[in-house]
Amino acid sequence: MTGVLLRAAHVTRRFGAFTAVDDVSMGVEPGEVVGLLGANGAGKTTLIRMLLGLIAVTSGRVDLLGGPPDRERRRRLGYVPQGLGLYGDLTVRENLSFSARAYGTAEPVLSPALRGYADVLVRELPLGAQRQVAFLAALAHAPDVLVLDEPTSGVDVLARAALWDTIRAQAERGAGVLVTTHYMQEAQQCDRLLLMSDGRLVGEGSEADIIGSTTAVAVRTGDWARAFAALAAAGAPVMLAGRAIRVANADPAELAEVLRAAGIEASLQPVPATIEERMLVLSRQAKAS
C-alpha cells in the first residue's frame, strides 16, 4: 500500500449554530500509528465519524483508501468505536461469527484469555474482555486502515499493554492506524500526534514538537489546596496531580506574588512542560482567539 490511506482536507462539521470540527486537515499513511488527542468535546469523535462516512461533512473532503468512504472501501477498514460496536445480547462466539460473515472471512480464533467466554453474552463480560472481542472483530479481515476511538478506556494496565502490542503489530504489517486516547503514556507510543481543541487542529508532530518551548512551574507548598485556589482565581493555567501543583506557561515571579498576597509560603521551580500542560495552554489560546 502506498499513499495516504485516510485523509481530511479542510473538513468542517456544523450542527446548527455549533461548529464541532473547524477546517481540519490531516492524514494517515501506511505503517504509521497516528494519535488523535484532545479533551472531551474537542471534536475527535466527530472527525472520525466524518472520515468513515458515518456523518456527512458540512464542507471540505474526506478520503478513505483513495476515494469517498463508500461501502466497498469500508470493507477494508477496521473500526472500534467508543461503544465497541458489539451486540450485548449475543455471545462472544455469535458476535465474531456475525462479523466474519459480514466481511466474508473465517471466524477469528479466540485467544486463551477469551476461550472461557465463548458462549457468554457480551453484556456480561468484564470491560477488558469486551474490548478484546471488539479488537478481534475489527482485525479478522486484516484491514488496511484501523480506526480506534478510545480503545483502552477503562482497561487495566496489563490489558492496555497487550492491546497496544496488537496496534503496533497492525502498523508493522502495513496498516495505517488512527487512535484516540486520554492516556499520555499511550500517546508516546504513537509515531505522530494530532492535537485538537474546540474543533480545531492546534498541534501536530511528535510529543516534543507539540510541547515546543512551553515550560511549567512546579509549586511546592504544604498548603496546596489554598495555593491551587489562589492561582486558579488569578487565571493561571494550573493543574493538580495528587497534591503536586504545576502551572503551565507562567512567570514564576508573578505566581510568587499571587501566593504572597494570599499569605501562602511556597517554593517555585521551572520545569519542562508535559503534553497535558501544552494541551491546556493551546486550549486556552484557542478559546481566547
Side-chain angles (χ1 to χ4, degrees):
M1 292 177 288
T2 59
V4 180
L5 302 177
L6 194 62
R7 184 199 305 272
H10 300 288
V11 165
T12 294
R13 172 67 197 201
R14 298 187 184 92
F15 296 94
F18 173 67
T19 301
V21 174
D22 187 4
D23 193 28
V24 169
S25 295
M26 50 74 67
V28 179
E29 297 185 359
E32 71 168 347
V33 179
V34 177
L36 183 60
L37 309 181
N40 289 334
K44 305 185 300 297
T45 296
T46 300
L47 175 61
I48 284 175
R49 290 175 65 81
M50 287 191 291
L51 287 167
L52 304 185
L54 301 177
I55 59 174
V57 302
T58 301
S59 62
R61 176 183 174 87
V62 296
D63 287 304
L64 171 64
L65 296 163
D70 56 20
R71 179 176 297 180
E72 285 305 309
R73 290 187 177 89
R74 284 200 294 263
R75 289 176 65 87
R76 297 164 58 192
L77 166 77
Y79 177 38
V80 179
Q82 285 187 18
L84 300 181
L86 301 172
Y87 296 94
D89 55 350
L90 297 181
T91 67
V92 168
R93 194 190 312 276
E94 289 167 341
N95 267 277
L96 294 176
S97 177
F98 176 82
S99 178
R101 289 199 300 271
Y103 285 104
T105 63
E107 186 174 326
V109 177
L110 289 172
S111 65
L114 290 177
R115 285 173 191 158
Y117 293 124
D119 296 311
V120 176
L121 295 179
V122 160
R123 66 169 177 258
E124 297 175 358
L125 294 181
L127 180 57
Q130 289 185 28
R131 293 202 179 277
Q132 291 180 54
V133 174
F135 262 66
L136 269 180
L139 299 177
H141 58 297
D144 296 326
V145 178
L146 185 59
V147 178
L148 309 169
D149 198 359
E150 301 288 350
T152 61
S153 179
V155 177
D156 65 59
V157 174
L158 290 177
R160 290 208 308 268
L163 291 175
W164 268 93
D165 283 345
T166 301
I167 291 170
R168 292 304 325 180
Q170 297 306 303
E172 288 169 4
R173 69 169 179 82
V177 183
L178 179 65
V179 56
T180 73
T181 179
H182 282 302
Y183 298 107
M184 293 305 106
Q185 300 94 330
E186 293 184 358
Q188 294 169 354
Q189 299 190 55
C190 297
D191 300 310
R192 185 161 51 88
L193 300 174
L194 305 172
L195 180 57
M196 290 188 70
S197 177
D198 293 323
R200 302 174 187 172
L201 189 63
V202 295
E204 181 174 2
S206 67
E207 182 178 14
D209 292 334
I210 291 175
I211 293 173
S213 60
T214 301
T215 59
V217 177
V219 179
R220 295 179 175 84
T221 175
D223 201 355
W224 61 269
R226 279 210 310 134
F228 181 89
L231 293 170
V238 60
M239 300 183 72
L240 188 65
R243 296 182 179 183
I245 296 174
R246 293 170 62 100
V247 187
N249 205 33
D251 182 346
E254 293 180 0
L255 299 181
E257 181 58 35
V258 170
L259 294 172
R260 276 195 299 269
I264 299 169
E265 293 186 3
S267 65
L268 291 82
Q269 180 182 3
V271 293
T274 65
I275 195 167
E276 295 101 320
E277 289 161 346
R278 180 58 176 162
M279 288 169 63
L280 176 59
V281 170
L282 290 170
S283 177
R284 289 165 67 99
Q285 290 175 349
K287 290 176 180 178
S289 64

